[in-house]
Amino acid sequence: MDQLFDFELTLRLIQIDFVLMAIAAAAVLGLVAGALGPLIVMRRMSFAVHGTAELAFTGAAAALLLGIAVSYGALLGAVVAALLLGLLGGRESERDSVIGVILSFGLGLGVLLLWFYDGRANNKFGILVGQVVAVQQQDLGLLIGCAVAVLAVLALIYRPLLFSTVDPSVAVARGVPVHWLSPLFAVLVGVATALGVQIVGALLVVALMVTPAAAAARVTSSPWKATVLAVVFAETAAIGGIILSLAPGAPVSFFVTAISFTIYLVCRAIAYVRGRQRRLSESGSAPSPVPARP
């Protein structure tokens, strides 16, 4: 426990090149996750993010087995997962079952690929829960390039996507191309999910993609304010998780998820207090009943 709060050791470690690259990667990931998160929550795609992460894990395991960069394998696996979810899960009534099928298949295949891998066990563990030292210069370049592409596409489709998310039936009636917006957004989510595999791992990437946005939704109903808050929360969890994990050398994913969960609990408490105050004010301002005349 003392090592967890060893600020001197943490300051020394922060100055190391690979730690700085990991922090930069976490900052980019937090920006992308925060921008996409509110739409993921509004479109009820949290389970889809988890399913996409499982195929990102499968792609990363295949890349590890083939001796290529894990980030490329995770990216390919996540995009394939997003396309499968978009093609097979078109009907809302079938979506959860399709995600469950893809999730279980991806996880099973990924476990098999890791079983074939004869390298270090730390590499296998890092795919599941993240590994700071795995972020290399080429990985950071790929992450920044993908992040710019995701944010650029999101900026172009944000207004019709938000319209179709809030009121899909009216959006269809107004001529919004809902049928291709949903698969395109799924691909964006898949790319962002793949970016998080090396930071928090395939199993816990939901902590950055969903939890900050869910927390923001508790304290504001404005999509713009929710996006700003989600970015701030995601950045806090991603960067703070890496910094806290340095001194003890513990997995980054625990600290990222712990910070995200704490922020979520605080936002829930704020929402509860606001709701209670609103109910008290409404009950206090309600007119008292006029007594009946005898």
Side-chain angles (χ1 to χ4, degrees):
M1 183 61 69
D2 294 337
Q3 195 176 17
L4 177 62
F5 300 103
D6 192 338
F7 298 107
E8 183 180 349
L9 177 59
T10 301
L11 288 175
R12 288 204 309 268
L13 292 174
I14 286 178
Q15 301 175 26
I16 301 176
D17 290 340
F18 77 83
V19 176
L20 292 175
M21 282 193 293
I23 292 176
V28 175
L29 176 61
L31 177 62
V32 176
L36 293 175
L39 289 168
I40 293 173
V41 172
M42 285 190 289
R43 296 174 72 89
R44 299 178 181 179
M45 291 179 61
S46 301
F47 190 37
V49 171
H50 187 52
T52 304
E54 299 306 333
L55 277 192
F57 158 70
T58 304
L64 191 64
L65 182 62
L66 296 174
I68 61 178
V70 169
S71 54
Y72 290 103
L75 182 61
L76 178 60
V79 171
V80 169
L83 292 175
L84 288 175
L85 293 177
L87 294 175
L88 301 179
R91 295 181 181 179
E92 188 173 354
S93 59
E94 299 178 344
R95 194 166 299 158
D96 284 348
S97 59
V98 169
I99 295 172
V101 170
I102 294 175
L103 185 153
S104 58
F105 170 73
L107 185 59
L109 181 58
V111 170
L112 177 64
L113 293 173
L114 287 184
W115 180 73
F116 282 119
Y117 179 68
D118 294 328
R120 294 188 304 168
N122 285 342
N123 293 335
K124 301 179 183 180
F125 191 65
I127 295 177
L128 295 173
V129 298
Q131 193 174 11
V132 175
V133 296
V135 180
Q136 304 296 327
Q137 187 69 42
Q138 63 269 21
D139 298 322
L140 181 59
L142 176 65
L143 192 150
I144 293 175
C146 291
V148 170
V150 169
L151 293 176
V153 174
L154 180 64
L156 290 175
I157 67 172
Y158 184 82
R159 289 181 65 85
L161 182 63
L162 180 62
F163 186 17
S164 65
T165 300
V166 175
D167 199 336
S169 58
V170 175
V172 172
R174 292 288 184 88
V176 176
V178 176
H179 294 295
W180 66 263
L181 278 177
S182 295
L184 179 58
F185 181 68
V187 171
L188 297 182
V189 172
V191 172
T193 302
L195 301 182
V197 169
Q198 285 190 305
I199 305 298
V200 294
L203 295 181
L204 300 174
V205 71
V206 179
L208 281 180
M209 296 298 296
V210 176
T211 308
R218 287 286 174 175
V219 294
T220 181
S221 58
S222 168
W224 293 100
K225 291 180 181 178
T227 301
V228 173
L229 286 176
V231 170
V232 173
F233 295 161
E235 294 283 7
T236 302
I239 298 177
I242 288 180
I243 293 175
L244 289 178
S245 70
L246 292 176
V252 177
S253 55
F254 164 73
F255 295 97
V256 172
T257 54
I259 294 173
S260 296
F261 185 60
T262 301
I263 292 173
Y264 178 74
L265 291 180
V266 171
C267 290
R268 281 193 69 106
I270 293 173
Y272 173 77
V273 172
R274 284 181 177 176
R276 194 166 185 271
Q277 290 177 344
R278 188 182 304 112
R279 290 191 296 270
L280 290 175
S281 62
E282 290 175 354
S283 62
S285 60
S288 58
V290 179
R293 293 182 179 180

